Amino acid sequence: MDDGTPGGVDGVGDLVTLGRRVRHLRTARGRTLDDLAGAVGSSASRLSLLENGRREPKLSLLTALARELGVPLAELLAPEPPSRRAALEIRLEHAQRSPLYASLGLPAVRPGKRAQLELLEALVGLHDELVRRAHERAATPEQAREANVALRRTMRAQGNFFGEVEDAAAGLLDAVGYAGGPLSERHVDALAAHLGYRFVAVDDLPHSSRSVTDTRHRVIYLRAQDRVAGGPRRRGVALQALGHLVLGHGEPAGYPEFLRQRVEVNCFAAALLVPRREVVRQLQAAKAARDIAVEDVRDAFNVSYETAAHRFTNVATHDLGLPVHFMRVHESGTVSKAYENDGVLFPVDATGAIEGQPVCRHWTARTVFDRPAGVPYHQYTDTPSGTYWCTSSVDPAGDPDPGAPPGRFSVSVGVPFAHVKWFRGRETTERSQSRCPDPTCCRVPPAELADRWAAHARPSARAHSHLLAALPPGTYPGVDDTEVYRFLDAHTPR
């Protein structure tokens, strides 16, 4: 018997449209749910879920439905709605499933047979206008946010694995005779020398730059304080600068290319600090022992917890077959970085952007701030999209992005419940429940508190000025070209 469990059909892009086509054909032929379900070996409840776009069917069930409804399978899977009314119902269904609609805390409308077309038109039109106004409010940083959303979509599609970047890093390590273990300062200098460059530490590096590369004289300038600090921070900045050279990056033609280059050099640096062959061997052994732990990667390669967590997400899906999500969250509760391919529902704005959005108070990425810093904390969280297990740490050795707000950051890695069996810390009894994006979960104050203080509380918000500004000008966003050119002039022999 085919029960229509999820994951059965590749290529069904829109389950809502599929469900409406099944319903349209069923009613047109005078079939009831019970009658059709019995004929295809399913149940009325499961078939109802399919018709409402809430269950992905197996191919065998679709084949049986097409046979019973007297249509070719291709017609059943056609992407266009079967009628004008169905098209409006589908648009309304998509609208009411959006984070923007969920943030309003309004009930969903299920249009019955007697609902007039004018009502559906009005509801869909109201949501379209709501989306338009939300985009209008976010128009100042819109280019950056939409580019970031598109990049995250690409990263998800490829499991956060960058094959060409991995190959370039592995080839460079082979060229300098890397034999395993943590990448040392000597290795980093050898990598630069192999490429014909040298590092110079200076005290007057432009404040807007992490490094400056002079391709004419083949010098890479680093901040002196990074050189003194040494360790992962200095190595990471130096290796990112080398990444631009090895990957052939030129001046970015636009913000999407700038973001792509930034992600690629971050992955390149991580692939040198934590080489794929070494870390995959370690993680495969840990998976066989059901003892995967991010802190073991950190310790084996002498990197920060954040770098280890990032590196884990690079190989988790491609080399270990594990769906995963990653979060870097400020102590205020807002997302700094995030990635997912495991179905977890991150908070997003109307453009689909994650960065800057508040995380549910009950998620591990926030509850970890109540635990000792530097000690991994494990927690199960029940969410509307399923139960997830997360390991999180407030990383004292982290390296915040330039311009990031001051304060602590948590770094979290999580997997769906079905995959927790491979991880150390799965035996934790810590558990929480999140209903977000339902605003009553943690966004709306408890009624007792609101009654007591709503009329008397007048906080003064601490807003960062960059939230109100357009994208910074310059060839590289945020970098002052004049400052960089004057710096190079001052450091170049006449």
Coordinates of all heavy atoms in Angstrom, one line a residue, residues 29 42 84 91 99 209 225 239 241 262 300 343 398 410 454 482:
R29 N -15.1 14.6 -11.9 CA -15.5 13.2 -12.3 C -16.5 12.7 -11.2 O -16.8 11.5 -11.3 CB -14.3 12.3 -12.4 CG -13.6 12.6 -13.7 CD -12.1 12.2 -13.7 NE -11.4 12.4 -14.9 CZ -11.1 13.6 -15.5 NH1 -11.5 14.7 -14.8 NH2 -10.5 13.6 -16.6
S42 N -5.0 4.1 -0.8 CA -4.6 5.1 0.2 C -5.7 5.3 1.2 O -6.6 4.4 1.3 CB -4.1 6.4 -0.4 OG -3.6 7.3 0.5
R84 N -9.1 29.4 -13.1 CA -8.9 30.7 -12.5 C -9.1 30.6 -11.0 O -8.3 31.2 -10.3 CB -9.8 31.7 -13.2 CG -9.8 33.1 -12.5 CD -8.5 33.7 -12.6 NE -8.4 35.0 -11.9 CZ -7.3 35.6 -11.5 NH1 -6.2 35.1 -11.7 NH2 -7.4 36.8 -11.0
R91 N -2.5 30.9 -5.0 CA -1.8 32.2 -4.6 C -2.1 32.5 -3.2 O -1.2 33.0 -2.4 CB -2.2 33.3 -5.6 CG -1.6 33.2 -7.0 CD -2.0 34.4 -7.8 NE -1.5 35.6 -7.3 CZ -1.9 36.8 -7.8 NH1 -2.8 36.9 -8.7 NH2 -1.4 37.9 -7.3
P99 N 6.3 33.9 5.6 CA 6.7 34.4 6.9 C 6.1 35.8 7.2 O 5.8 36.1 8.3 CB 8.2 34.6 6.8 CG 8.6 33.6 5.8 CD 7.5 33.5 4.8
S209 N 39.7 47.9 5.8 CA 40.2 46.8 5.1 C 40.8 45.8 6.1 O 41.4 46.2 7.1 CB 41.3 47.2 4.1 OG 40.8 48.1 3.2
Q225 N 48.4 44.1 14.6 CA 47.8 43.5 15.8 C 47.4 42.1 15.5 O 47.4 41.2 16.3 CB 46.7 44.3 16.3 CG 45.5 44.4 15.4 CD 44.4 45.4 15.9 OE1 44.7 46.6 16.1 NE2 43.2 44.9 16.0
L239 N 45.1 33.9 4.7 CA 44.6 32.9 3.7 C 43.5 33.5 2.8 O 43.4 33.1 1.6 CB 44.2 31.7 4.4 CG 45.4 30.9 5.1 CD1 44.8 29.7 5.9 CD2 46.5 30.5 4.2
A241 N 43.2 36.5 1.8 CA 43.9 37.4 0.8 C 44.5 36.5 -0.3 O 44.4 36.9 -1.5 CB 45.0 38.2 1.5
R262 N 33.4 36.8 -1.5 CA 33.6 36.7 -0.1 C 33.4 35.3 0.5 O 34.2 34.8 1.3 CB 32.7 37.7 0.7 CG 33.1 37.9 2.1 CD 32.2 38.9 2.8 NE 30.8 38.5 2.9 CZ 29.9 39.1 3.6 NH1 30.3 40.2 4.3 NH2 28.7 38.7 3.7
A300 N 41.6 19.5 16.8 CA 42.6 18.8 15.9 C 43.3 19.7 14.9 O 44.4 19.4 14.6 CB 41.8 17.7 15.1
G343 N 15.7 21.8 6.3 CA 14.3 22.1 6.5 C 13.9 23.0 7.7 O 12.8 23.3 7.9
G398 N 36.2 33.7 18.7 CA 35.6 34.1 17.5 C 36.2 35.3 16.9 O 36.8 36.1 17.6
S410 N 27.0 33.5 19.6 CA 26.9 32.1 19.7 C 27.1 31.4 18.3 O 26.7 32.1 17.3 CB 25.6 31.6 20.3 OG 24.5 31.8 19.4
A454 N 3.0 48.3 29.6 CA 2.8 48.8 28.3 C 2.6 50.3 28.3 O 3.1 51.0 27.4 CB 1.7 48.1 27.5
T482 N 40.1 55.8 -1.8 CA 41.1 56.9 -1.6 C 42.1 56.5 -0.5 O 43.3 56.6 -0.6 CB 40.5 58.2 -1.4 OG1 39.6 58.6 -2.5 CG2 41.6 59.3 -1.2

